[in-house]
């Protein structure tokens, strides 16, 4: 079986991670421009000031994408290039850059798939409370509409937000992303709600313009499975799925929050400040949302957290050495299992988790339209005699594409696969040590681009429409 002709073989990036040119051509300052420069916040103090200089080298990069046969390029727009202070004047030079990038893609027949928000918020808005302030929702609406009007004649695929759970939880629970706040569930839930409303408003604006493209959102897809057959671990996994899946997917697809979580937030005093009008907007937008983008890296293996039994692991022998991470609400713990494979950064490699998760998603939401908007292997690639032999990445992507193919056989409505990432780029917290790309960037040699082993392999896959998988 080959992949259908209307299935996109793509690859992705995000503005802050590739562009650089952080203060050029009228660009405003983003929260990441500031946060990454606070000592100790990022790996070896790396930041996106230069990143991989895609801003100046996009023509070369897109030429390489075309050589690979890439059908679609998912990239994000930096809000601060379009509206430097968040909600004021539009910067014509910012529009010019993305116009040129889009046109370059189209020149080679590469379909642009545009993310409006991949974490780089104008710093002015961050200082005013970021996503916890409803003013940011209004500002986003204006920014999104500006992009639709400027690029919508050529861009027909829009993602509003990338991974709400990540930027909100790392920003308000773990303190690892801006604004660097820890242990504040109240702000965390408020921020997520405001993002969902911003998404719904953008859907509303987009549909009003009648540009006849599609618009959706990208979520982390990390389905939780119990680590073993114990009943309380199964319950813990259900709880994890309510908080990490239902809370994010329900408001987008059903237009209402899951009762289970809403009830608990009330008891715990974490209910966001929401208005009847906002809840109506969510309801109105849900049936108009065209697709969900899934970023799949790994599933969660879950056990019930039992603080009094730390020295006796609850799920017995199956749990490998690592202590695991306790959920922010103390209910469950994610663990590593002895019989699973892991990347060098300890992320589980589980193509079967993707397939099982997709089936779970169909059970919960029916036959929705899906794109895999990110999936890939973060590795320190082996370089031998100047060749980048990333055979492990080939294996990783091959196995995940096979899972996608199986999903298609089962009738799932998956319309594309975007490998993360098209080119080596800046990892938010892991700097340049962790690589994901098909295209290597030589940090020691003026950021020279080189084709990796995986580049030629993906090219073949695309040429054969995955027939050999
Ligand atoms: C996703 C993000 O969560 O994970 C990407 O959307 C990110 O922006 C990717 O780069 C990989 O994360 P990391 O931490 O391995 O670089």
């Amino acid at each position: 079986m080959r992949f259908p002709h209307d299935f996109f073989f793509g690859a992705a990036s995000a503005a802050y991670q590739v562009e650089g040119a952080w203060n050029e051509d009228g660009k405003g300052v983003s929260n990441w421009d500031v946060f990454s420069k606070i000592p100790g916040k990022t790996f070896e103090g790396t930041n996106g000031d230069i990143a991989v200089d895609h801003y100046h080298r996009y023509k070369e990069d897109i030429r390489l994408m075309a050589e690979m046969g890439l059908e679609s390029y998912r990239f994000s727009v930096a809000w601060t290039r379009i509206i430097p202070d968040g909600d004021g004047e539009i910067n014509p030079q910012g529009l010019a850059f993305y116009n040129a990038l889009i046109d370059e893609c189209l020149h080679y027949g590469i379909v642009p798939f545009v993310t409006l928000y991949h974490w780089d918020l104008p710093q002015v808005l961050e200082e005013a409370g970021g996503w916890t302030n409803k003013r940011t929702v209004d500002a986003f609406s204006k920014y999104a509409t500006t992009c639709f009007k400027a690029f919508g004649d050529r861009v027909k695929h829009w993602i509003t937000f990338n991974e709400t759970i990540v930027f909100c939880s790392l920003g308000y629970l773990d303190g690892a992303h801006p604004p660097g706040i820890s242990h504040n569930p109240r702000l965390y839930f408020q921020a997520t709600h405001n993002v969902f409303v911003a998404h719904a408003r953008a859907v509303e604006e987009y549909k009003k313009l009648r540009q006849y493209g599609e618009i959706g959102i990208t979520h982390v897809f990390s389905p939780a499975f119990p680590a073993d057959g114990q009943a309380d671990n199964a319950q813990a996994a259900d709880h994890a799925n309510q908080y990490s899946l239902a809370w994010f997917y329900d408001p987008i697809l059903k237009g209402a929050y899951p009762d289970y979580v809403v009830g608990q937030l009330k008891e715990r005093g974490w209910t966001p400040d929401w208005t009847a009008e906002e809840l109506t907007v969510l309801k109105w937008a849900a049936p108009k949302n065209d697709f969900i983008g899934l970023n799949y890296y790994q599933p969660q293996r879950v056990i019930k957290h039992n603080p009094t039994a730390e020295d006796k692991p609850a799920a017995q022998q199956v749990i490998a050495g690592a202590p695991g991470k306790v959920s922010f609400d103390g209910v469950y713990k994610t663990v590593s299992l002895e019989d699973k494979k892991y990347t060098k950064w300890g992320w589980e490699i589980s193509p079967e988790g993707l397939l099982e998760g997709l089936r779970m998603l169909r059970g919960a939401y029916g036959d929705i339209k899906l794109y895999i908007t990110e999936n890939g292997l973060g590795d320190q690639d082996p370089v031998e005699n100047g060749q980048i032999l990333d055979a492990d990445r080939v294996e990783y992507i091959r196995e995940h594409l096979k899972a996608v193919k199986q999903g298609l056989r089962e009738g799932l409505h998956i319309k594309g696969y975007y490998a993360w990432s098209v080119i080596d780029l800046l990892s938010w917290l892991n700097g340049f040590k962790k690589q994901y790309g098909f295209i290597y960037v030589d940090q020691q040699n003026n950021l020279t681009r080189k084709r990796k082993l995986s580049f030629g392999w993906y090219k073949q896959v695309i040429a054969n429409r995955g027939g050999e998988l």
Side-chain angles (χ1 to χ4, degrees), residues 179-347:
I181 293 171
S182 298
H183 313 299
N184 198 324
R186 174 80 185 77
L187 289 183
Y188 165 69
F189 285 104
Q190 185 66 56
T192 59
H193 168 70
N194 292 347
V195 169
F196 303 143
V197 174
H199 162 81
R201 294 235 166 96
V203 170
E204 195 174 355
E205 292 302 324
Y206 185 65
K207 298 288 162 166
K208 268 202 256 169
L209 292 170
R210 293 182 179 273
Q211 293 185 337
Y212 303 106
E214 55 175 5
I215 186 163
I217 193 167
T218 276
H219 281 331
V220 166
F221 188 51
S222 192
F225 301 108
D228 62 14
Q230 290 187 28
D232 48 358
N233 293 338
Q235 231 179 357
D238 286 345
H239 179 91
N241 281 327
Q242 283 291 324
Y243 277 80
S244 56
L245 285 180
W247 179 260
F248 294 87
Y249 288 67
D250 279 19
I252 307 299
L253 293 168
K254 297 182 173 171
Y257 290 105
D259 291 341
Y260 176 88
V261 184
V262 171
Q264 294 196 347
L265 295 193
K266 216 180 211 171
E267 281 166 26
R268 295 163 163 186
W270 297 340
T271 308
D273 160 25
W274 49 36
T275 65
E277 190 254 332
E278 288 165 357
L279 297 177
T280 307
V281 172
L282 294 183
K283 208 156 223 79
W284 185 91
K288 299 191 165 54
N289 179 77
D290 294 302
F291 65 86
I292 291 278
L294 306 176
N295 287 358
Y296 177 81
Y297 289 91
Q298 59 175 338
Q300 305 179 68
R301 306 290 172 186
V302 165
I303 60 171
K304 181 178 165 26
H305 175 50
N306 183 353
T308 57
E310 279 310 283
D311 44 353
K312 288 181 255 142
Q316 277 83 33
Q317 306 82 340
V318 286
I319 314 296
K325 188 176 177 212
V326 178
S327 63
F328 78 95
D329 59 0
V331 173
Y332 66 93
K333 206 168 161 178
T334 49
V335 294
S336 309
L337 303 181
E338 257 151 24
D339 61 346
K340 306 289 180 200
K341 283 196 291 184
Y342 293 88
T343 71
K344 289 181 189 137
W345 272 263
W347 294 23

Side-chain angles (χ1 to χ4, degrees), residues 340-359:
K340 306 289 180 200
K341 283 196 291 184
Y342 293 88
T343 71
K344 289 181 189 137
W345 272 263
W347 294 23
E348 187 183 331
I349 301 175
S350 178
E352 59 287 351
L354 170 60
L355 192 54
E356 271 185 72
L358 288 168
R359 291 173 183 145

Side-chain angles (χ1 to χ4, degrees), residues 17 118-119 162-163 166 295 297 347 374 420 425 427-428 430 434 436:
Q17 298 180 270
H118 201 126
W119 307 353
N162 181 70
E163 299 188 345
V166 173
N295 287 358
Y297 289 91
W347 294 23
E374 282 182 32
W420 186 264
L425 40 70
S427 166
W428 305 89
N430 295 291
K434 193 179 190 184
Y436 282 91

Side-chain angles (χ1 to χ4, degrees), residues 57-75:
R57 305 187 197 207
Y58 70 92
K59 285 195 177 175
E60 178 186 356
D61 293 341
I62 292 172
R63 193 167 6 92
L64 283 165
M65 292 179 212
E67 181 189 321
M68 194 164 50
L70 203 73
E71 295 176 330
S72 178
Y73 175 32
R74 174 184 175 226
F75 59 88

